[in-house]
């Protein structure tokens, strides 16, 4: 087996084994086997110079940047001329061979390596200037951070997120933060300021182009295997000529429909590099390549209704309901219209003939209204509470918003977020039981969930609620009173504040809720990973007296816990920090964090020291030497963070 392939295989096997061991408490190989494979990997890495981003022999630390720097591309990135006509593919080839591949639908990234190391990662941007996303590229799931080739070269490729991950990640985000399609998610993830977020998104990179001034290749079909030999993955490609290009296209289209990542077409490029260059380029497109976009399968149907779905923040989203049709193998009868602007643009009326298609072959969309009767009237009351609504335009699009702050639909959405597994984690409170409680007037705020005992008789009279399920629910609400501050903050459902932002917020303010409540926008902007929208949103939330009252009431009911894992592992332990830090802004910040978890700090390593924290464990510094002598645990900043569950 070739060495590059073996390196990747070992990397994956070892990662799987550690995950099974550490996260699932399952052993899939003995320690001895593990060590042997790790040795083999280390030897191969040294031999070839190739080291993957997810190699267990190294850990990439997290990094937070304050903004994405704009950087000029050394070589302009042209876009591709597009066609929907298979004949054009044959005309491009004439008597030449072509390289035909699936075109992935993500964000184009350009990776530059120098002296065998990844030194730059830029987004395509406008083709001339891109954004520096090196901190996130280092956390892609499948690229080499070190390669055997010491010459400078640049690899271009597509950063993508698979459908399966797209559905999973979107499921964890509140509705307003969800992404429309895998491409938007990939783009949003690659452009994060905090590399931890990018790392959690399982971004894959598929290379399609090489630029390397000092090495001569005759054919594109020689470049791609060379790229692979350095540790990259490429999208599937095939050599074709004018006689089989159309047949191969049909075959690739079928393949693309079930591909590992979102696809948006095929790309055909002339194989002979000398000939390709001689063709030159227009101001926009190279003349040696053509992107083939297939038509999305779209089907006509009849609009039967428009439903309005209330969201947590009072947004009410229109959904088209139409006569069921078969699309890409499934029956579809609903498609989100996203907002009022799109609805108005389609000039809809009930009974209109519309065309629907599946964007990226998964998400149903209304493409076109053929009859455009324009008779539909936007409701002037909330479909849920009957209260007033208003049309707002916070960004480019108009949205419908319920103005009743105690609208049960809004309340239900925020309650179901509040009790969710990532938030207060109260089992036994499904959406439908919450709905019963809200309708019966038992629960009108998150705090009421902890007072359900006052309504025992009423609850027990609900169909499906027996003595046992009632008691279990009461037990669960009691259990949920013990909660970490960051879970509570997340549970509040503050705009733009997801899981990791809540953690960062609590870490920055050392779990001091009063400090968080009173923080102004300026100080919130100092929280790692916080941009102006997030800072403004937190500040606005706590300026609102209703919210403030809710938080105060919750604090009087709940018992805020130190993070269980973090507190017990750090509490009472003595730490020494040496060298530069990556995640924390400076040593001071890290020391305050350790102290907030009950840990203690010392300046020098002694036999009493429990942990030496250093990002360079192999350095010969005196602290490192001392730690080794005294057998003190030496851990990296990253190890420390995982120890605290961050
Ligand atoms: Zn309402």
């Amino acid at each position: 087996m070739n060495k590059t392939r073996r390196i990747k295989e070992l990397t994956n096997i070892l990662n799987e084994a550690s995950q099974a061991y550490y996260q699932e408490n399952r052993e899939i190989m003995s320690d001895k086997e593990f060590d042997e494979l790790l040795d083999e990997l280390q030897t191969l890495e040294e031999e070839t110079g190739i080291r993957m981003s997810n190699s267990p022999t190294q850990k990439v630390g997290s990094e937070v940047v304050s903004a994405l720097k704009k950087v000029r591309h050394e070589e302009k990135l042209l876009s591709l001329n597009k066609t929907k006509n298979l004949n054009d593919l044959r005309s491009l080839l004439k008597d030449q061979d072509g390289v035909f591949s699936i075109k992935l639908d993500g964000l184009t990234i350009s990776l530059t390596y120098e002296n065998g190391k990844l030194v730059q990662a830029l987004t395509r941007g406008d083709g001339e200037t891109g954004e520096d996303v090196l901190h996130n590229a280092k956390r892609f799931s499948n690229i080499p951070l070190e390669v055997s080739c010491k010459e400078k070269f640049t690899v271009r490729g597509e950063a993508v997120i698979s459908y399966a991950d797209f559905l999973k990640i979107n499921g964890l985000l509140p509705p307003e933060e969800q992404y429309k399609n895998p491409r938007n998610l990939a783009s949003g993830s690659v452009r994060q300021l905090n590399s931890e977020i990018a790392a959690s998104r399982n971004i894959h990179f598929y290379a399609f182009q090489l630029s390397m001034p000092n090495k001569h290749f005759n054919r594109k079909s020689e470049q791609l295997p060379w790229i692979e030999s350095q540790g990259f993955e490429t999208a599937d490609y095939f050599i074709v000529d004018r006689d089989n290009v159309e047949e191969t296209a049909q075959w690739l289209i079928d393949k693309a429909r079930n591909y590992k990542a979102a696809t948006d077409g095929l790309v055909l490029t002339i194989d002979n590099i000398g000939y390709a260059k001689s063709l030159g380029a227009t101001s926009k497109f190279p003349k040696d390549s053509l992107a083939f976009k297939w038509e999305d399968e779209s089907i006509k149907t009849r609009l039967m209704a428009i439903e309005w779905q209330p969201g947590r923040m009072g947004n009410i989203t229109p959904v088209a309901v139409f006569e069921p049709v078969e699309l890409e193998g499934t029956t579809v009868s609903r498609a989100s219209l996203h907002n009022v602007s799109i609805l108005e643009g389609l000039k809809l009326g009930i009974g209109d003939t519309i065309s629907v298609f599946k964007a990226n072959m998964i998400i149903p969309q209304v493409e076109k209204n053929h009859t455009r009767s324009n008779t539909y009237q936007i409701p002037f009351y909330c479909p849920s509470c009957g209260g007033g609504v208003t049309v707002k335009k916070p960004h480019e699009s108009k949205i419908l918003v319920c103005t009743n702050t105690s609208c049960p639909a809004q309340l239900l959405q925020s309650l179901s977020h509040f009790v969710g597994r990532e938030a207060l984690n109260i089992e036994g409170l499904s959406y439908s039981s919450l709905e019963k409680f809200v309708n019966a007037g038992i629960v009108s705020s998150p705090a009421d969930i902890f007072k359900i005992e006052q309504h025992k008789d009423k609850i027990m009279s609900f169909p499906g609620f027996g003595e046992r399920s009632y008691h279990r629910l009461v037990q669960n609400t009691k259990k949920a009173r013990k909660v970490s501050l960051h879970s509570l903050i997340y549970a509040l459902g503050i705009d733009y504040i997801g899981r990791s932002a809540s953690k960062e917020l609590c870490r920055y303010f050392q779990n001091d809720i009063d400090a968080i409540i009173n923080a102004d926008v300026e100080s919130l902007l100092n929280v790692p990973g916080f941009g102006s929208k997030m800072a403004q949103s937190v500040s606005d939330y706590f300026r609102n007296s209703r919210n403030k009252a809710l938080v105060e009431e919750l604090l009087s009911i709940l018992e805020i816990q130190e993070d269980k894992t973090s507190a017990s592992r750090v509490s009472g332990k003595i730490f020494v920090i040496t060298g530069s830090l990556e995640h924390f802004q400076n040593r001071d910040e890290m020391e305050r964090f350790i102290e907030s978890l009950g840990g203690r700090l010392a300046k020098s390593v002694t036999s009493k020291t429990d942990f030496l924290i250093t990002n360079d464990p192999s350095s010969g510094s005196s602290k490192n030497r001392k730690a080794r002598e005294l057998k003190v645990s030496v851990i990296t900043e990253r190890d420390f963070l995982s120890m605290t569950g961050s």
Side-chain angles (χ1 to χ4, degrees):
M1 181 184 285
N2 96 29
K3 287 178 183 167
T4 312
R5 283 233 315 268
R6 182 66 181 158
I7 286 177
K8 289 184 176 185
E9 191 180 87
L10 286 169
T11 301
N12 290 336
I13 296 173
L14 289 165
N15 283 338
E16 246 171 65
S18 329
Q19 166 151 8
Y21 186 79
Y22 288 109
Q23 288 172 25
E24 295 151 28
N25 240 323
R26 202 157 53 83
E27 203 165 283
I28 55 178
M29 62 175 76
S30 68
D31 287 353
K32 184 165 168 286
E33 271 176 288
F34 188 90
D35 289 342
E36 277 168 12
L37 293 179
L38 192 65
D39 275 347
E40 185 189 347
L41 177 62
Q42 251 161 346
T43 312
L44 280 173
E45 284 179 341
E46 271 157 38
E47 233 175 275
T48 58
I50 296 173
R51 202 189 297 267
M52 301 300 294
S53 51
N54 57 347
S55 168
T57 67
Q58 62 159 22
K59 282 277 171 265
V60 184
S62 40
E63 228 177 299
V64 179
V65 298
S66 55
L68 299 181
K69 251 194 329 238
K70 295 233 189 289
V71 180
R72 251 189 122 69
H73 289 289
E74 274 183 30
E75 209 176 310
K76 208 165 138 184
L77 274 77
L78 297 173
S79 53
L80 293 181
N81 201 358
K82 296 174 188 66
T83 179
K84 290 190 168 182
N85 188 344
L86 285 173
N87 269 327
D88 293 342
L89 298 176
R90 205 159 3 142
S91 321
L92 173 78
L93 287 180
K94 298 195 179 74
D95 59 348
Q96 293 284 321
D97 282 347
V99 177
F100 210 6
S101 63
I102 288 177
K103 188 166 178 291
L104 298 176
D105 192 17
L107 188 68
T108 302
I109 304 284
S110 172
L111 301 176
T112 301
Y113 291 75
E114 251 178 280
N115 297 317
K117 285 206 162 68
L118 174 65
V119 293
Q120 188 181 60
L122 299 179
T123 63
R124 179 178 183 281
D126 61 4
E128 289 187 24
T129 307
E131 286 171 324
D132 179 356
V133 291
L134 181 63
H135 62 299
N136 290 332
K138 285 183 187 162
R139 311 299 293 273
F140 287 177
S141 300
N142 65 336
I143 62 162
L145 297 187
E146 291 169 32
V147 292
S148 57
C149 171
K150 302 291 176 243
E151 300 267 0
K152 178 176 174 178
F153 68 91
T154 296
V155 166
R156 288 180 191 152
E158 204 75 0
V160 297
I161 289 176
S162 74
Y163 288 139
D165 285 330
F166 164 71
L167 296 174
K168 205 163 70 190
I169 293 161
N170 246 2
L172 292 174
L173 294 171
E176 324 75 55
E177 285 173 39
Q178 289 181 1
Y179 291 85
K180 257 193 207 159
N181 53 45
R183 183 189 54 232
N184 289 359
L185 176 61
S187 167
S189 303
V190 170
R191 301 181 63 253
Q192 290 286 334
L193 299 178
N194 182 342
S195 72
E196 276 308 296
I197 301 179
S200 71
R201 299 273 169 91
N202 199 16
I203 304 164
H204 281 71
F205 176 88
Y206 294 97
F208 57 72
Q209 201 179 49
L210 173 70
S211 163
M212 187 174 183
N214 292 332
K215 190 167 164 71
H216 183 74
F217 290 96
N218 289 319
R219 293 183 172 272
K220 174 115 178 145
S221 55
E222 291 164 9
Q223 279 184 340
L224 292 170
W226 184 85
I227 294 176
E228 287 167 339
S229 77
Q230 296 297 314
F232 295 94
E233 281 181 60
T234 59
D236 293 359
Y237 60 88
F238 301 88
I239 314 295
V240 292
D241 57 33
R242 66 179 161 192
D243 292 328
N244 66 5
V245 64
E246 287 188 32
E247 192 188 322
T248 311
Q250 292 295 357
W251 182 76
L252 278 174
I253 291 169
D254 283 342
K255 200 175 162 70
R257 290 192 191 280
N258 296 303
Y259 209 57
K260 53 195 169 193
T263 57
D264 69 344
L266 307 175
V267 184
L268 182 65
T269 302
I270 302 280
D271 190 24
N272 184 321
I273 293 172
Y275 174 75
K277 278 202 180 127
S278 74
L279 295 174
T282 69
S283 63
K284 279 194 199 140
F285 311 119
K287 286 185 180 167
D288 66 337
S289 300
L290 201 50
F292 173 74
K293 299 256 184 184
W294 51 74
E295 307 271 3
D296 282 302
E297 183 191 355
S298 90
I299 290 188
K300 278 189 189 172
T301 178
R302 202 170 62 89
L303 182 69
M304 300 203 297
I306 290 174
E307 284 182 9
W308 292 84
Q309 263 179 5
R312 209 167 71 212
M313 305 300 166
N315 300 0
I316 314 175
T317 307
V319 178
V321 182
F322 42 83
E323 283 174 358
V325 288
E326 272 300 293
L327 263 183
E328 313 279 359
T330 57
T331 306
V332 185
S333 61
R334 303 162 63 85
S336 175
L337 294 165
H338 305 295
N339 57 49
V340 171
S341 300
I342 290 177
L343 177 117
E344 286 178 344
L346 285 164
K347 303 220 181 305
L348 290 168
I350 306 302
D352 276 357
T353 304
I354 55 173
S355 284
V356 293
F357 73 106
K358 275 195 182 172
N360 289 90
M361 296 187 231
I362 44 168
I363 302 154
Q365 302 277 316
V366 175
E367 177 188 37
K368 203 172 168 184
N369 180 6
H370 300 274
T371 37
R372 293 174 82 82
S373 69
N374 203 18
T375 52
Y376 185 77
Q377 291 239 320
I378 290 167
F380 40 86
Y381 57 87
C382 170
S384 170
C385 68
V389 290
T390 173
V391 173
K392 284 191 188 167
K393 198 175 175 186
H395 306 291
E396 300 93 71
S397 310
K398 290 198 253 177
I399 57 170
L400 191 67
V401 181
C402 170
T403 51
N404 173 8
T405 45
S406 50
C407 171
Q410 274 183 62
L411 178 63
L412 254 174
Q413 291 290 334
S414 46
L415 287 173
S416 102
H417 175 77
F418 185 81
V419 304
R421 190 184 308 177
E422 303 267 8
L424 273 270
N425 190 18
I426 306 179
E427 279 170 52
L429 271 182
S430 64
Y431 195 87
S432 68
S433 41
L434 280 172
E435 201 169 10
K436 284 179 199 148
F437 289 8
V438 168
N439 290 339
I442 294 171
V443 172
S444 57
S445 106
D448 292 342
I449 291 173
F450 300 99
K451 304 174 194 161
I452 52 171
E453 278 164 288
Q454 298 166 9
H455 306 276
K456 182 176 176 188
D457 295 341
K458 219 176 193 175
I459 294 173
M460 301 253 298
S461 73
F462 290 151
F465 253 98
E467 181 92 30
R468 266 184 62 197
S469 48
Y470 168 77
H471 281 294
R472 206 178 311 136
L473 180 58
V474 170
Q475 279 318 110
N476 288 343
T477 59
K478 286 201 170 131
K479 216 168 67 191
R481 283 171 198 231
K482 294 188 175 158
V483 66
S484 65
L485 187 61
H486 64 77
S487 298
L488 173 61
I489 301 267
Y490 172 70
L492 295 174
I494 304 170
D495 254 345
Y496 302 110
I497 305 302
R499 278 300 291 167
S500 50
S502 310
K503 280 190 184 171
E504 291 288 1
L505 189 63
C506 292
R507 180 181 305 155
Y508 182 80
F509 288 100
Q510 296 172 49
N511 287 315
D512 180 350
I513 181 67
D514 292 324
I516 294 175
I517 291 176
N518 295 318
D520 55 15
V521 173
E522 211 167 301
S523 55
L524 286 163
L525 278 169
N526 292 327
V527 179
F530 269 48
S532 56
K533 269 190 193 165
M534 294 163 84
Q536 191 64 51
S537 170
V538 172
S539 165
D540 288 351
Y541 183 90
F542 290 112
R543 294 294 85 78
N544 178 317
S545 56
R546 267 169 48 107
N547 295 337
K548 229 165 140 176
L550 170 66
V551 173
E552 269 160 28
E553 189 180 3
L554 285 171
L555 287 172
S556 72
I557 296 169
L558 302 171
E559 298 166 43
I560 300 297
Q561 308 278 299
E562 292 287 5
D563 227 325
K564 271 185 223 126
T565 47
S566 50
S568 61
R569 284 181 184 162
V570 175
S571 175
K573 299 283 192 299
I574 299 177
F575 293 83
V576 174
I577 308 172
T578 184
S580 62
L581 297 174
E582 287 161 359
H583 184 86
F584 292 94
Q585 285 189 337
N586 50 46
R587 205 171 289 181
D588 201 41
E589 193 187 89
M590 186 168 198
E591 289 180 354
R592 275 186 289 138
F593 180 60
I594 291 175
E595 280 169 347
S596 77
L597 296 174
R600 288 187 289 155
L601 292 146
K603 288 266 170 282
S604 54
V605 177
T606 69
S607 59
K608 294 216 175 75
T609 310
D610 292 295
F611 295 99
L612 172 66
I613 301 175
T614 169
N615 285 322
D616 190 3
S618 56
S619 98
S621 78
S622 61
K623 283 187 177 133
N624 267 312
R625 281 205 313 270
K626 195 76 188 263
R628 275 200 294 273
E629 252 168 54
L630 297 170
K631 299 207 161 41
V632 167
S633 301
V634 179
I635 59 173
T636 63
E637 199 181 354
R638 180 85 211 119
D639 297 333
F640 171 77
L641 286 171
S642 46
M643 192 168 130
T644 62
S646 303

